[in-house]
Amino acid sequence: MRAAYIEELGPPQVIRYGEITAPRPGPTDVLVNVHATTVNPVDTFVRSGAFTTQLDFPFVIGRDLVGTVAETGPGVTGFRPGDRVWCNSLGHGGRQGAAAEQAVVAADRLYHLPAGVDPYAAVAAFHPAATAYLALFVHGRFRVGETVLVAGAAGNVGSALVTMAVRAGARVLATAGARDEAYCAELGAEHVFDYRHPDLTRKIREAAPSGIDVLVDTAGVNDLENTVDLLARRGRVVLLAGARSRPVLPAGALYMNDRSVVGFVISHATSHELAEAAAYVNDLLARGDLRPRTVEVFPLRAATDVHARTEEGGLHGVRPVLRTDLPVTG
């Protein structure tokens, strides 16, 4: 089969595209004919070695896929050949990746794609949406009626967070660039603040005088010195970006008000947590309430270029979809 793979860690140029041996499913695995995958920032971390995880070379890159079931192991129930399925947890932890014509997926990490959902729009949404779910409900411990602030609300994870928080009964505040204020408001944010505003902290405090219950920083700024003071008693900050940031920790403001700061990466989510998130994401997809803002389609062979553009920030706000069925050009 054809695949995008690496034989060593390094820059995007280590990615190769060509024929490798097709995988075979184990007793509790499903063999999937891959229709499309995507590229997430975490995929570049795995490829470069910035995120340490078990890899077996040659290593097929990529985390997310959408496709159809080709074959199931003898111990698998609930899946049949031809079923439309998806996964968002390949390509790390000893699991080969999704950027290939076929992939093996453990049955407990594979989910049915709802009928009528565009698979190529969906594959662009799986990873950021599942990340948003875990940030808000698992690590943020959101409860109905709370006030949520999403920093970086126009991004892929941020926009999913706004959508989910509004749907769950939150009062949602957001920060974004000035050009994205209308978009965030359309998603349901009650107030949208320009993150560059010199009086941003004051404006947020005025909009939420009782404090923020859950603050999710998707932008990676992680300015705890200012954001912790915005929290209500027992308010929570969830960090999921900015791996190199080293913010000042206002310990007194935290422990004197029962506040907390928690960080997480989806790579450490359990199969149960991922399945819980998948059920929620599937419901949003089926209702038409979750759509990527902008999608750009590439052939699978373009994986090297897409990784490079992702690292350079050239795909800001755009979700790349790499399709296995597109003809190779150039």
Side-chain angles (χ1 to χ4, degrees), residues 34-312:
V34 179
H35 297 164
T37 183
T38 184
V39 176
N40 305 292
V42 70
D43 298 324
T44 70
F45 302 157
V46 171
R47 185 217 69 236
S48 67
F51 180 79
T52 302
T53 187
Q54 179 186 340
L55 305 179
D56 295 319
F57 298 112
F59 174 73
V60 177
I61 61 174
R63 182 159 301 212
D64 309 335
L65 67 76
V66 64
T68 55
V69 172
E71 183 183 342
T72 64
V76 173
T77 60
F79 294 100
R80 297 181 300 177
D83 286 353
R84 300 199 317 162
V85 292
W86 64 274
C87 176
N88 63 341
S89 58
L90 295 182
H92 67 102
R95 294 178 291 277
Q96 286 287 333
E101 292 178 317
Q102 289 190 314
V104 165
V105 184
D108 64 348
R109 291 176 177 267
L110 191 66
Y111 321 110
H112 289 278
L113 185 70
V117 172
D118 178 353
Y120 304 114
V123 75
F126 295 147
H127 189 79
T131 301
Y133 177 89
L134 295 171
L136 184 63
F137 297 108
V138 175
H139 299 281
R141 308 188 307 278
F142 169 78
R143 294 185 292 272
V144 176
E146 290 187 321
T147 298
V148 175
L149 173 61
V150 180
N156 298 310
V157 176
S159 59
L161 271 162
V162 173
T163 299
M164 291 180 185
V166 170
R167 184 175 188 258
R171 180 187 182 221
V172 180
L173 312 182
T175 67
R179 65 180 181 179
D180 294 316
E181 289 183 17
Y183 171 64
C184 295
E186 289 173 7
L187 293 175
E190 182 178 321
H191 294 282
V192 185
F193 306 102
D194 183 349
Y195 73 90
R196 296 185 182 90
H197 197 286
D199 291 325
L200 176 61
T201 300
R202 177 183 60 79
K203 291 173 72 68
I204 294 173
R205 186 174 288 110
E206 289 175 352
S210 297
I212 304 297
D213 297 296
V214 183
L215 191 159
V216 186
D217 189 343
T218 74
V221 176
N222 301 336
D223 179 12
L224 298 181
E225 197 164 15
N226 286 310
T227 57
V228 165
D229 283 337
L230 292 171
L231 297 179
R233 183 163 294 172
R234 297 197 174 182
R236 290 85 70 196
V237 177
V238 182
L239 309 179
L240 49 81
R244 294 181 176 85
S245 66
R246 294 292 185 271
V248 173
L249 182 69
L254 284 169
Y255 80 79
M256 293 290 284
N257 294 281
D258 298 349
R259 296 164 177 163
S260 60
V261 178
V262 62
F264 90 100
V265 292
I266 193 173
S267 300
H268 299 320
T270 66
S271 58
H272 176 76
E273 289 170 341
L274 290 171
E276 181 183 306
Y280 194 93
V281 170
N282 267 348
D283 185 58
L284 288 179
L285 289 170
R287 294 172 181 270
D289 292 338
L290 184 64
R291 295 178 298 276
R293 187 176 184 183
T294 306
V295 171
E296 191 170 348
V297 178
F298 304 87
L300 183 58
R301 185 170 186 168
T304 299
D305 292 338
V306 176
H307 268 242
R309 289 179 63 185
T310 299
E311 289 185 335
E312 295 164 0

